[in-house]
Amino acid sequence: MDSNCLITVRDVSKNYKRRKALNNISFDVKKGEVLGIIGPNGAGKTTMISLLATINKPESGKIHIFGEDILKNPEKVRASLGYVPQETALYPMLTAYENLDFWGGIYGVDNKLKKEKINKVLQLLRLEDRKNDKVRTFSGGMKKRLNIAASLLHDPDILIMDEPTAGVDILSRATITELVLDLKNSGRTIIITSHHIDDLEHLCDKILVLREGSLLYSGSAADILKATGNDNLEQLMLKLEEA
Ligand code: ATP
């Protein structure tokens, strides 16, 4: 095992009843890398993310994070993981601040530091001016940003994001993209899925291309484009969707 690798995934398969969602997937992620997972609908992106986030288990294969087998010791790695699910997990009748207070409790943030941490993540996601507003008054993009803010409360080393920019306004999308870059620059390791392929092409050090549960390509965007003879990843995705 390469000692630089923070995450190693080896021969991982996942079935839902008889449907194979992932088929013998292997890859590595180094500390500080941004890994993008792309592929047509049903490719297995969310399933892969859910295994890494320790909310789902594979039928076979191994996943190590910080050298820990996450199937044996999920609790040990959870403290270092921030997870942004596809669906936002927020209480509409609570304010942004109250929602973060709740999530701070779930993530075990020290009570003495909670206020400071909440204000910091609100600022990072450009939501300070809405902190006392109820979430039911928020746009989709603001809810998404608040969910990302919640995932950062415990300063995780690894951030796992499932479609963080899906269905959000242009301002939220830009804020989220900038945040990913800032987190990368501060040494965080990030795993992200998105249908905004052009964002990923610029953000990611490494890309996995999945289709129907199989890993078709992995490498830098430039390597994948060279290997497949495409001008950009959007073009590759269109071909995969049509095939
Ligand atoms: P999308 O781009 O549409 O979000 P995806 O690449 O994230 O797709 P997954 O959601 O991981 O794909 O699904 C992979 C396969 O597993 C699909 O065939 C899907 O129908 C199936 N699947 C996913 N979740 C379940 C589930 N809970 N029960 C049964 N089948 C499932």
Side-chain angles (χ1 to χ4, degrees), residues 16 19 21 40-47 86 195:
Y16 294 107
R19 178 177 290 138
N41 287 123
K45 304 180 293 292
T46 294
T47 302
Q86 219 172 89
H195 284 280

Side-chain angles (χ1 to χ4, degrees), residues 27-171:
F27 61 91
D28 295 326
V29 189
K30 292 190 181 132
K31 182 177 169 3
E33 271 187 335
V34 180
L35 173 80
I37 307 181
I38 64 173
N41 287 123
K45 304 180 293 292
T46 294
T47 302
M48 192 65 243
I49 287 271
S50 71
L51 299 182
L52 294 168
T54 76
I55 55 171
N56 221 334
K57 285 187 177 177
E59 262 69 51
S60 56
K62 293 262 178 224
I63 303 177
H64 286 85
I65 298 183
F66 291 115
E68 286 294 334
D69 182 336
I70 68 165
L71 300 176
K72 288 189 184 143
N73 279 321
E75 296 79 20
K76 217 163 171 183
V77 293
R78 269 181 206 143
S80 312
L81 299 182
Y83 170 52
V84 182
Q86 219 172 89
E87 304 295 332
T88 53
L90 299 165
Y91 289 101
M93 297 311 285
L94 297 184
T95 65
Y97 190 96
E98 289 164 346
N99 267 281
L100 291 174
D101 194 48
F102 167 79
W103 278 108
I106 299 276
Y107 281 125
V109 176
D110 186 335
N111 263 334
K112 279 185 239 137
L113 300 174
K114 210 154 56 175
K115 189 171 172 192
E116 186 190 322
K117 299 247 182 210
I118 291 174
N119 285 322
K120 187 174 152 204
V121 295
L122 281 167
Q123 198 181 355
L124 268 180
L125 275 303
R126 301 200 182 158
L127 288 167
E128 321 85 303
D129 56 336
R130 300 295 303 264
K131 74 177 183 181
N132 295 318
D133 293 344
K134 287 197 168 47
V135 164
R136 70 177 162 79
T137 67
F138 279 22
S139 69
M142 288 163 67
K143 285 184 200 157
K144 206 75 176 189
R145 280 190 273 149
L146 188 56
N147 232 192
I148 296 170
S151 75
L152 295 173
L153 280 168
H154 60 307
D155 286 325
D157 291 316
I158 301 172
L159 188 63
I160 300 175
M161 308 169 98
D162 195 358
E163 295 280 356
T165 55
V168 308
D169 55 283
I170 289 176
L171 184 69

Side-chain angles (χ1 to χ4, degrees), residues 211-232:
R211 186 175 62 184
E212 292 175 3
S214 294
L215 181 57
L216 295 188
Y217 308 103
S218 98
S220 68
D223 288 346
I224 293 173
L225 295 178
K226 200 167 161 198
T228 59
N230 288 284
D231 295 330
N232 52 59

